[in-house]
Amino acid sequence: MILYSVNVICIYRCGHCQKLAPDYETAATRLKGIVPLAKVDCTANSETCSRFGVNGYPTLKIFRNGQVASAYDGPRSAEGIVSSMKKQAGPSSVPLHSEEELNSFINHFDASVVGFFSGSDSPQLTDFQKAASAMRDSYRFGHTTEPGLGFKHGVETESVLLFRPPRLSSKFEDSLVKFGESISTASLRRFIRDNIFGLCPHLTNENKDSLKGRDLMTVYYDVDYLRNPKGTNYWRNRVMKVASQFQSQGLHFAVADRQEFQDQLEEEFGVEPSELGELPLVTIKTREGNKYIMQEFTRDGKALERFLEDYFAGRVKRYIKSERPPETNSGSVKVIVAETFQEIVNDPAKDVLVEFYAPWCGHCKNLEPKYAELGERLSGDHNIVVAKMDATANDVPPSYDVQGFPTIYFSPAGKKDSPIRYEGGRDVEDFLNFLKKEATHPLVLSSTREDL
């Protein structure tokens, strides 16, 4: 088995490749003799990359016995790559022959799924192993056919149990959950997805992608289960006590180490390291991208309880990361910040073309003079606004999908809920051609020469 990183060797032309490179090298060193890691330069091996459907960089694929087994969708940190590939290197479900082996397997940092079966010829075991093979990238599986190993866990017939990590044991929830359906990949996947995290999981950089797409409240403090498990659970238990009162209202909960997520806290919530004290910091981020923050945590949990009561009652003000609006904004390209997005872009009477850029982006810098010229050409048209926003310093509304820079959208008058992503060329005439077709009113060009 080999993990291939398909990238551009001229690493500085790809920011994502540049970010991955040191972690990939570290992982390769740690996995030496276990799983070989390799890389392919697509600028020199375009046919190979095309044959395996590579259309973005870096792309990571897992090969087994010379064939593509799957795309690698795990964490892109050295620790995450090592952990994921070690799972790939071993059996999809670890056979457990004794109580010592069972206890060692479930006493793990991550949750464990264990099947208890009557014998090696059990049809249920066959289905379990098939499901484990399909989900080995994401979860830990073990199985036993030894009679009696499951007795102390209440197992009397063939069963599957999910064991939550021992460090997360709490009086507010069961440490194990029994699977109650007929075994299939789909039913087992659904069971694990719904139960693996429990009421309040430990959020890390390795599992954060699994918690995306939820309304999630995260409590940040000094989470350290290696050196200070008692202190870590002191705060987690207070969170869980409050969370148990609100768990039926659609909000999910987690605790996380504030040092591990400092960059994210600063980027998404504007929280500087100097602002973090001893007490936990609480944030909520919804699946729509709305954000809320609470900084007045109390040891009795009452402040958190009041915060959640206010949140569900709609009394908590949304947090919006925004630069200060410019003192003057009379240029042909209007500068937008998050605070003025509603006023300028969502003006129902105006067509708005908005560029989302990053100050460090070379493509954005190349576009700047052409975009400025476009603004000048349309400066006399009062029905249309040419605008730009620094998407690294301001929150982008959820209806605008900005994954790279520059990203350009057209927001038509009267249809502000349906912005149109601009996918055309980046010359002035390309923009004008697009606007001629999409603008609500005929364009009024400032230039005396109309090339179209």
Side-chain angles (χ1 to χ4, degrees), residues 179-197:
F179 176 65
E181 300 180 48
S182 177
I183 297 176
S184 69
T185 299
S187 63
L188 197 55
R189 187 190 302 276
R190 185 169 55 249
F191 165 75
I192 297 172
R193 182 195 63 210
D194 292 345
N195 292 282
I196 192 166
F197 288 120

Side-chain angles (χ1 to χ4, degrees), residues 91-121:
S92 58
S93 177
V94 178
L96 306 170
H97 302 292
S98 66
E99 185 172 343
E100 182 181 2
E101 288 183 1
L102 172 61
N103 290 338
S104 176
F105 184 76
I106 62 178
N107 187 23
H108 195 272
F109 191 83
D110 297 320
S112 307
V113 181
V114 180
F116 299 84
F117 302 101
S118 58
S120 58
D121 58 349

Side-chain angles (χ1 to χ4, degrees), residues 123-138:
Q124 288 276 74
L125 173 57
T126 301
D127 291 336
F128 179 82
Q129 290 177 313
K130 187 183 298 183
S133 180
M135 293 184 281
R136 66 183 297 161
D137 290 355
S138 304

Side-chain angles (χ1 to χ4, degrees), residues 162-341:
L162 185 152
F163 293 85
R164 295 191 174 118
R167 76 186 193 286
L168 300 182
S169 177
S170 169
K171 66 180 181 180
F172 295 103
E173 65 181 354
D174 294 330
S175 295
L176 63 84
V177 187
K178 184 175 181 180
F179 176 65
E181 300 180 48
S182 177
I183 297 176
S184 69
T185 299
S187 63
L188 197 55
R189 187 190 302 276
R190 185 169 55 249
F191 165 75
I192 297 172
R193 182 195 63 210
D194 292 345
N195 292 282
I196 192 166
F197 288 120
L199 177 61
C200 184
H202 174 197
L203 180 71
T204 67
N205 276 318
E206 313 309 331
N207 67 18
K208 64 182 181 181
D209 288 344
S210 299
L211 288 162
K212 283 184 177 178
R214 306 176 181 214
D215 293 349
L216 182 65
M217 185 192 89
T218 307
V219 181
Y220 297 92
Y221 59 100
D222 292 330
V223 174
D224 189 341
Y225 277 103
L226 292 177
R227 291 181 288 268
N228 188 19
K230 184 176 180 180
T232 297
N233 279 329
Y234 171 85
W235 290 115
R236 181 172 175 266
N237 285 333
R238 276 149 183 75
V239 174
M240 292 187 74
K241 181 179 180 180
V242 177
S244 63
Q245 303 172 42
F246 297 91
Q247 61 181 320
S248 64
Q249 299 192 43
L251 184 65
H252 296 264
F253 306 88
V255 296
D257 180 49
R258 54 185 158 203
Q259 297 300 323
E260 184 175 358
F261 287 92
Q262 178 54 56
D263 289 346
Q264 181 176 311
L265 283 170
E266 190 170 348
E267 179 181 339
E268 294 196 352
F269 291 91
V271 178
E272 301 286 344
S274 59
E275 297 179 68
L276 294 172
E278 177 190 354
L279 297 178
L281 171 74
V282 180
T283 70
I284 293 176
K285 187 172 182 179
T286 70
R287 67 193 74 189
E288 292 83 14
N290 297 328
K291 298 185 292 186
Y292 307 85
I293 188 167
M294 169 194 149
Q295 292 180 292
E296 303 84 18
F297 204 98
T298 55
R299 294 183 183 276
D300 60 5
K302 293 297 183 182
L304 179 59
E305 187 175 339
R306 289 192 296 271
F307 174 73
L308 287 175
E309 288 172 351
D310 289 341
Y311 169 76
F312 286 113
R315 295 190 293 264
V316 178
K317 184 179 179 181
R318 282 177 54 197
Y319 170 81
I320 300 177
K321 184 179 76 170
S322 178
E323 294 180 291
R324 290 182 179 276
E327 292 184 8
T328 59
N329 203 10
S330 57
S332 58
V333 176
K334 303 301 179 188
V335 176
I336 301 170
V337 299
E339 288 181 4
T340 61
F341 196 94

Side-chain angles (χ1 to χ4, degrees), residues 375-403:
E376 290 291 342
R377 293 284 298 274
L378 293 169
S379 60
D381 191 335
H382 300 297
N383 295 310
I384 192 164
V385 175
V386 179
K388 65 179 182 179
M389 186 171 90
D390 180 352
T392 67
N394 297 276
D395 279 342
V396 177
S399 54
Y400 292 81
D401 182 23
V402 177
Q403 300 296 327

